[in-house]
Amino acid sequence: MIRRVIWRIVRFGYVYLIKPLLFMMSPDNVHSHTISQMSFWQNVPGFTALVRLVFQQSSCSALKQQYHNVTFNSPVGLSAGFDKNGEIMPIIASLGFSFGEVGSVTADSCEGNIRPWFYRLPKTRSLVVNAGLNNHGSEAIIKRLANYSDSDLREFPIILSVAKTNSQKVISIEQGINDYVTTARRAKNQPNIKMIELNISCPNAYGGEDFTKPDGLELLLTAIDSINLKQPVFVKMPVNLDLLKAKDLLDVIVGHKIAGVTIANLAKNRTTANLKDDLPLSVVGNLSGEPTRDLSNELIRRTFLEYGKRLTIIGVGGIFSADDAYEKIKLGASLVELITGMIFEGPQLPSQIEDGLRRRLQTDGFNHISQAIGIDAKQ
Ligand SMILES: Cc1cc2nc3c(=O)[nH]c(=O)nc-3n(C[C@H](O)[C@H](O)[C@H](O)COP(=O)(O)O)c2cc1C
């Protein structure tokens, strides 16, 4: 297949030529330039069509799934945090992702923490993230998403990741809940927002993490239930919880109108992270990429075993290849997402993963991905 050859060439060019140059610049600058370049180019007539031609594959029935009335042409999506403001969804859709998250967005706009927000750990294949929920605010972002036409998105479901505003004005549990509810109401009747994800696990925000405790989560989900959202709602789990604490949260979650869980967010614990790079104590933030993989996989497995019939699982954390994605699927994830893998491996990665999954299903004798979900989730 000619596309496979092109993707290999793109990967080679990215990993050996472009990435070394990008990694000489500050990660904050690379990220903001990437977003502004992509949002410029996606408006140039013919550009997204060209990107689609190179990266997108024809829809494959073995990978197509429907969850909660939302159709996913393949299980590979972009995780929350890359396109915080929903500026580049058309180009993300053209790149071979089958769905994408926008956000995390908050009720009020927020500038985020003092820069730098990002720090690279090249040998560990990880980023230290300390952005602090910078975003344009949910009102402006939801308006932007509403302006995307069917031909911009082409059956590309957008998940809106919702957090609470990182501000001294949003400290108490009540203020936090009002913040989530404000954004959820704004998103309620928006046809371009197909699912809503509650990011309860953003570290380094004002007010701490009340919603990663069962009592706080119960109050938040009761408030979200009362809005009667049309879209399915997911909860994004923290990754560093011990299994009993995770179970406490999942027991709360299944008592509410929650369709599924996204497993999981950034890793907080540096001492157990098996870092291959020096990480100065002065660098604040939490880890993406490889250090999240095993933690996320174990939580996916446990969640699937106990709640797999009730909750749909989106698996995220440390996916750099089709094998990594397939591992999460076999442990119980129905869909997978990534960010760091694309930063380290290049823009062809989602297409390569989709292609690789197709081939792995064939090798294992499965006609459809649903047959592989959870087959390795043993006690
Ligand atoms: C640059 C960056 C920004 C992120 N921002 C958010 C965010 O705003 N909301 C959120 O739920 N997760 C955020 N995350 C976490 C990712 O969505 C994901 O859970 C985590 O990075 C693990 O996936 P990965 O190893 O594929 O990057 C961010 C991650 C990165 C790398």
Side-chain angles (χ1 to χ4, degrees):
M1 184 176 149
I2 186 142
R3 279 208 180 99
R4 275 189 204 134
V5 178
I6 297 175
W7 298 334
R8 278 201 204 125
I9 296 169
V10 173
R11 180 180 182 277
F12 183 87
Y14 179 82
V15 170
Y16 295 103
L17 301 172
I18 296 172
K19 192 173 76 171
L21 293 176
L22 294 179
F23 275 28
M24 285 158 74
M25 294 160 64
S26 94
D28 291 45
N29 283 345
V30 172
H31 182 249
S32 47
H33 280 124
T34 305
I35 299 290
S36 60
Q37 284 298 315
M38 280 181 161
S39 65
F40 169 79
W41 281 101
Q42 77 185 355
N43 290 318
V44 172
F47 186 75
T48 49
L50 183 69
V51 175
R52 261 200 312 279
L53 190 71
V54 174
F55 294 103
Q56 237 181 36
Q57 302 159 74
S58 51
S59 152
C60 159
S61 59
L63 294 180
K64 197 168 177 166
Q65 304 177 85
Q66 206 182 34
Y67 290 106
H68 319 289
N69 290 326
V70 183
T71 302
F72 298 88
N73 283 323
S74 101
V76 187
L78 178 74
S79 195
F82 190 78
D83 186 12
K84 298 225 183 220
N85 295 307
E87 294 166 287
I88 55 162
M89 279 293 117
I91 207 140
I92 293 296
S94 315
L95 268 181
F97 285 108
S98 283
F99 63 101
E101 294 212 19
V102 165
S104 297
V105 306
T106 56
D108 291 334
S109 63
C110 176
E111 292 201 345
N113 293 334
I114 296 167
R115 285 183 185 264
W117 290 340
F118 311 124
Y119 185 88
R120 290 187 199 98
L121 301 173
K123 292 185 208 135
T124 314
R125 298 208 292 176
S126 169
L127 290 176
V128 185
V129 180
N130 184 37
L133 293 170
N134 60 300
N135 75 101
H136 295 164
S138 58
E139 190 168 10
I141 295 169
I142 289 169
K143 252 188 216 151
R144 183 173 295 135
L145 299 181
N147 283 334
Y148 287 137
S149 65
D150 287 351
S151 68
D152 285 332
L153 296 177
R154 297 172 178 256
E155 301 177 352
F156 178 86
I158 291 178
I159 303 176
L160 188 71
S161 166
V162 181
K164 72 182 171 87
T165 305
N166 185 13
S167 136
Q168 278 164 324
K169 292 188 205 139
V170 188
I171 303 280
S172 70
I173 288 218
E174 292 71 31
Q175 288 164 331
I177 291 174
N178 281 340
D179 212 87
Y180 281 99
V181 165
T182 301
T183 298
R185 281 191 206 283
R186 287 173 180 157
K188 181 173 177 180
N189 293 312
Q190 295 295 325
N192 279 349
I193 298 173
K194 299 291 188 229
M195 306 209 310
I196 290 175
E197 181 180 282
L198 304 173
N199 174 11
I200 58 166
S201 44
C202 183
N204 300 329
Y206 279 106
E209 293 183 59
D210 288 332
F211 303 112
T212 57
K213 295 174 196 125
D215 293 350
L217 186 61
E218 175 66 39
L219 292 172
L220 173 63
L221 299 188
T222 304
I224 295 291
D225 283 350
S226 70
I227 309 174
N228 281 319
L229 287 165
K230 299 195 175 94
Q231 300 96 332
V233 181
F234 276 62
V235 174
K236 184 152 184 189
M237 297 289 286
V239 82
N240 282 112
L241 287 182
D242 71 47
L243 293 170
L244 279 179
K245 288 206 174 117
K247 188 173 160 20
D248 288 345
L249 292 185
L250 291 163
D251 283 340
V252 171
I253 287 170
V254 293
H256 292 270
K257 295 179 201 160
I258 299 297
V261 281
T262 304
I263 300 174
N265 218 320
L266 301 162
K268 288 186 194 173
N269 196 337
R270 297 174 177 200
T271 45
T272 54
N274 191 17
L275 300 180
K276 299 181 187 105
D277 305 77
D278 286 335
L279 177 51
L281 281 174
S282 57
V283 176
V284 184
N286 301 286
L287 302 160
S288 76
E290 288 223 6
T292 65
R293 188 191 301 125
D294 290 349
L295 295 167
S296 153
N297 285 355
E298 180 57 5
L299 192 52
I300 291 170
R301 186 181 75 81
R302 301 290 302 213
T303 305
F304 182 81
L305 282 175
E306 279 204 50
Y307 306 89
K309 292 206 171 72
R310 165 68 180 80
L311 296 171
T312 305
I313 299 171
I314 302 177
V316 52
I319 295 180
F320 291 82
S321 67
D323 284 334
D324 294 335
Y326 198 38
E327 188 178 12
K328 280 192 167 42
I329 289 166
K330 290 201 287 183
L331 289 172
S334 296
L335 302 165
V336 293
E337 296 177 341
L338 60 96
I339 296 184
T340 308
M342 181 174 65
I343 294 169
F344 279 80
E345 289 291 309
Q348 80 300 332
L349 185 63
S351 309
Q352 286 182 318
I353 292 180
E354 188 183 326
D355 184 48
L357 286 176
R358 208 184 296 217
R359 291 199 273 171
R360 278 157 187 75
L361 290 179
Q362 259 173 14
T363 311
D364 287 351
F366 298 131
N367 299 323
H368 191 259
I369 183 171
S370 55
Q371 296 165 298
I373 295 169
I375 54 156
D376 283 350
K378 301 184 184 78
Q379 280 294 355

